[in-house]
Amino acid sequence: LVAAMGALYVRTPTSFLPNEDQGVLMTIIQAPSGTTAEQTKKVVEKVEQYYLNAEKENVASVFSVVGFSFAGQGQNMAMMFVKLKDWDERQGVQNGAEAIAGRAFGPLMGGINEAVVIPIVPPPVLELGNSNGFTAFLQARTGQSHDELLAARNMLLGMAGKSDKLMAVRPNGVEDAAQFKLNIDWPKAGAVGLTAAEVGSFLNTVWSSTYVNDFLYDGRVKRVYVQGEPWARATPSDFDLWRVPNANGDFVSLSTFATQEWVYGPQQVVRYDALPAMEIQGSPKPGVSSGEALAEMERLASQLPPGFSLQWSGLSLEEKEAGNGAMLLYALSLAAVFLCLAALYESWVIPIAVILAMPVGILGTLIGAALGGQSNGVYFQVGLLTVVGLTGKNGIMIVEFARDRMRHMGESAREAVIAAARLRFRPILMTSMAFSLGVVPLILSTGAGAGAREAIGFATFFGTLTGTALAIFFVPLFFVLTNLLFGRRRKAGAQTAA
C-alpha cells in the first residue's frame, strides 16, 4: 500500500490552484510598433465579431479599450473584456471559460495577421497576476546588453513554441520600436550663447507646454499656457523651423547645433530583483498541469547561453514555494497527530498503530485525484490533511476501546482489539458515511468556484472511503503487532531489572 501510495503521489500532476470559470474572458491585442489607433481599432472590431458570432451561444457582451492593455500602453495596444452568459446557460465543460479561450486561440492567432491576439482566462486569485498559466522573468545576470537579452528571449520563445506541453508562450510588454533622437552638440550651443537650461526649456515649451500666468475671465481664474502651433511641431523636419533666443537676444536656428536621426530601441525598461529582465507568460496545453509546464520552461531555459536565469512571479512563484514546503507540512501534521495521541494515552506505543494506518486514507485521496482529473495543489493538500485526521479518528475509536479492555478486563491485545473493532464498527461507519455523503455536493458542483470545491471533494470523498474500508482491518493488525513487538521489550526489560 505504501508503494502504491508513493507511485501515485509521484504521478499526480502538480499545480497551485485549479482554474476557475469566473464568467469573463480577457483578450490582449498587440499590433506592431508604429500602428495607429485607427488600425488597431479595426483589429478590435474583427475580434469582437468573432466572439459575437462564433461564440454567440456563450457570450453575453464585449467591451473593448484601445490604447491600453496589461502588456503596456500605446496606439498599438488594446484590451477586450468578454462577459459570458450565466453558468446555467453554459452547461458542460465545452462551454466553460477555459474551453472558449482554447477555441478562440487558433482563429484569433492564425486568422488575424495585423496583430497578436491572445485570449486569456483570469487567474483564480486576481491579486496574483493578470491571467492563468505561468508568469516568469528572463534575467540577464552577468551584465549582458539589451540586444543579447532580447536574442535570448526570442530563443526561449522559439523553443517553447515547439514544445508539446506549452501553448500561448508570449512576451508581455512593449516591444522595441523606432525612436526619434535629437543630438545636441553642447559645445556648439555654448558657442552661440545658449545654455543647457535654455535649450531644454525651449523644447519643453514648444513641444509640450509651459505655464505662464493666470488671468480673470467671467469671474473665474484661468491659466495661460504657451505651446507651439500644431502645424509647426508635427514632423521631425519641423525642428528646422524654430529659432532659440540666446542671452544676447539673437535667434539661433536649432539646426546650427542639433542633428536628427532615427534609432531602434526599447520603449520600456524592465527590472526584476534589480536586474535587467523581460517578462514571459504562457499556459500549459490541455491535459498538462501547471507544474509540468513550469518544469518544461525551466528545462528550456537551461539550454540558453550562460548568464541567463528564469525567475518565477505571481501564481507561478506561489506554486513553486508551496510545492517546496508540502512534504514538510505533511511531516509536521503527522508529528502533531502522534504527539497529541502520545499525550492522550500516555504511551509511545499506542499512537504508532494509528499512524501506521494513515497511508490507507492517503491512497484513496490519490486515487480520487486521478479519477477526477485533479492535480496536487493547495486544495488537494487541504483535503489530504483532512483525510489524515479522519483516518486517525477511526483508528482512535478502535484503539481506545481495545486499550481499556486490556487494562480493565485483562484481555490479550488480539482479543481486545477484535472486540473493539466489532463494537465500534457502527459508529465508525456512521461518521464516515455522514462525512463522505456530505462532500458529494462538492464533487457535483458547477459554476463559480467549482474548481476549488471539486479539488477538495474528490480528495476527501475517496480518501474517506478507503480510510474507512481498510482502516477497520489494518488498525487492529497494527495494534496487535505493536503490542507484540514492544510488549516483549517491556517484559525483557522488567526481567532484567528484577
Side-chain angles (χ1 to χ4, degrees):
L1 289 175
V2 171
M5 180 190 68
L8 282 175
Y9 187 85
V10 172
R11 293 185 179 184
T12 302
T14 59
S15 67
F16 182 60
L17 295 173
N19 294 328
E20 297 285 1
D21 185 347
Q22 304 182 47
V24 66
L25 289 178
M26 296 180 292
T27 303
I28 295 177
I29 300 172
Q30 184 172 354
S33 300
T35 304
T36 63
E38 289 76 12
Q39 294 172 323
T40 305
K41 188 176 180 180
K42 292 180 180 179
V43 177
V44 171
E45 292 173 352
K46 291 183 179 180
V47 179
E48 289 179 349
Q49 290 303 314
Y50 168 81
Y51 281 118
L52 295 177
N53 295 326
E55 296 290 346
K56 60 182 178 181
E57 301 296 331
N58 299 315
V59 174
S61 61
V62 177
F63 174 75
S64 306
V65 179
V66 177
F68 163 82
S69 77
F70 291 150
Q73 300 181 14
Q75 296 187 76
N76 62 323
M77 298 289 184
M79 189 78 185
M80 185 175 297
F81 300 89
V82 182
K83 185 178 184 301
L84 304 178
K85 293 182 179 179
D86 191 78
W87 292 273
D88 294 337
E89 304 179 43
R90 296 186 288 113
Q91 298 291 336
V93 179
Q94 70 278 7
N95 295 321
E98 192 170 1
I100 296 173
R103 288 196 299 268
F105 185 79
L108 296 181
M109 285 288 291
I112 299 178
N113 300 322
E114 298 89 344
V116 176
V117 183
I118 303 172
I120 59 176
V121 180
V125 181
L126 296 179
E127 289 76 12
L128 294 176
N130 298 321
S131 66
N132 64 348
F134 57 83
T135 302
F137 283 86
L138 182 63
Q139 288 182 324
R141 304 188 66 88
T142 55
Q144 293 92 335
S145 65
H146 174 79
D147 293 337
E148 292 174 327
L149 177 59
L150 180 62
R153 187 206 68 177
N154 293 337
M155 179 180 176
L156 180 60
L157 294 177
M159 292 187 294
K162 300 177 182 178
S163 174
D164 57 353
K165 297 182 179 179
L166 306 172
M167 62 177 292
V169 182
R170 62 200 181 271
N172 187 46
V174 181
E175 292 295 299
D176 294 358
Q179 301 172 357
F180 177 76
K181 185 177 181 181
L182 186 66
N183 300 309
I184 299 178
D185 190 331
W186 294 111
K188 287 185 178 180
V192 295
L194 292 173
T195 63
E198 291 172 341
V199 174
S201 176
F202 177 80
L203 294 175
N204 180 70
T205 299
V206 172
W207 264 266
S208 178
S209 63
T210 298
Y211 167 72
V212 179
N213 58 10
D214 300 329
F215 74 100
L216 293 175
Y217 178 78
D218 198 16
R220 301 183 63 181
V221 177
K222 302 289 186 179
R223 287 193 166 193
V224 178
Y225 288 88
V226 177
Q227 189 179 35
E229 290 286 352
W231 60 266
R233 52 182 175 88
T235 62
S237 60
D238 293 336
F239 276 97
D240 297 334
L241 303 176
W242 293 94
R243 306 291 186 270
V244 185
N246 60 12
N248 301 325
D250 300 326
F251 288 88
V252 181
S253 175
L254 274 173
S255 59
T256 303
F257 56 88
T259 59
Q260 309 169 13
E261 65 173 327
W262 285 95
V263 296
Y264 192 81
Q267 299 189 77
Q268 65 178 173
V269 178
V270 180
R271 294 287 187 271
Y272 190 80
D273 288 341
L275 293 174
M278 289 186 176
E279 187 176 4
I280 297 175
Q281 293 184 347
S283 302
K285 284 189 175 181
V288 179
S289 69
S290 59
E292 293 174 315
L294 299 187
E296 178 70 3
M297 285 296 295
E298 290 176 344
R299 184 186 69 83
L300 297 177
S302 64
Q303 303 177 21
L304 295 176
F308 295 99
S309 173
L310 195 67
Q311 301 294 326
W312 301 107
S313 179
L315 282 173
S316 302
L317 178 61
E318 297 293 332
E319 178 177 344
K320 296 292 289 186
E321 293 179 347
N324 294 335
M327 299 307 298
L328 178 61
L329 176 64
Y330 299 148
L332 291 176
S333 301
L334 293 176
V337 173
F338 181 83
L339 293 176
C340 290
L341 293 177
L344 176 64
Y345 296 117
E346 297 180 353
S347 170
W348 296 105
V349 178
I350 294 177
I352 295 177
V354 178
I355 295 296
L356 288 175
M358 295 299 181
V360 298
I362 299 175
L363 180 63
T365 301
L366 295 169
I367 293 175
L371 294 177
Q374 305 297 319
S375 56
N376 184 359
V378 173
Y379 294 115
F380 171 84
Q381 294 169 9
V382 171
L384 190 147
L385 294 178
T386 303
V387 169
V388 167
L390 291 171
T391 307
K393 180 266 300 180
N394 293 337
I396 291 171
M397 295 178 71
I398 296 176
V399 168
E400 187 174 4
F401 264 64
R403 176 175 173 270
D404 290 340
R405 293 179 71 91
M406 291 177 63
R407 175 176 296 180
H408 298 106
M409 302 178 65
E411 295 180 345
S412 65
R414 184 176 182 276
E415 295 172 339
V417 79
I418 290 177
R422 183 182 297 112
L423 289 172
R424 304 308 292 165
F425 176 71
R426 186 172 63 89
I428 290 175
L429 197 62
M430 290 175 60
T431 54
S432 299
M433 286 184 63
F435 183 85
S436 59
L437 294 176
V439 300
V440 169
L442 298 179
I443 299 176
L444 304 177
S445 63
T446 57
R453 293 195 294 270
E454 289 177 356
I456 297 178
F458 276 100
T460 53
F461 179 79
F462 287 91
T464 305
L465 291 183
T466 59
T468 303
L470 298 179
I472 58 177
F473 300 105
F474 280 94
V475 170
L477 171 64
F478 294 140
F479 181 79
V480 173
L481 291 177
T482 53
N483 274 275
L484 287 175
L485 177 62
F486 293 99
R488 290 175 181 174
R489 291 184 178 180
R490 286 197 299 268
K491 290 180 180 179
Q495 293 175 357
T496 303

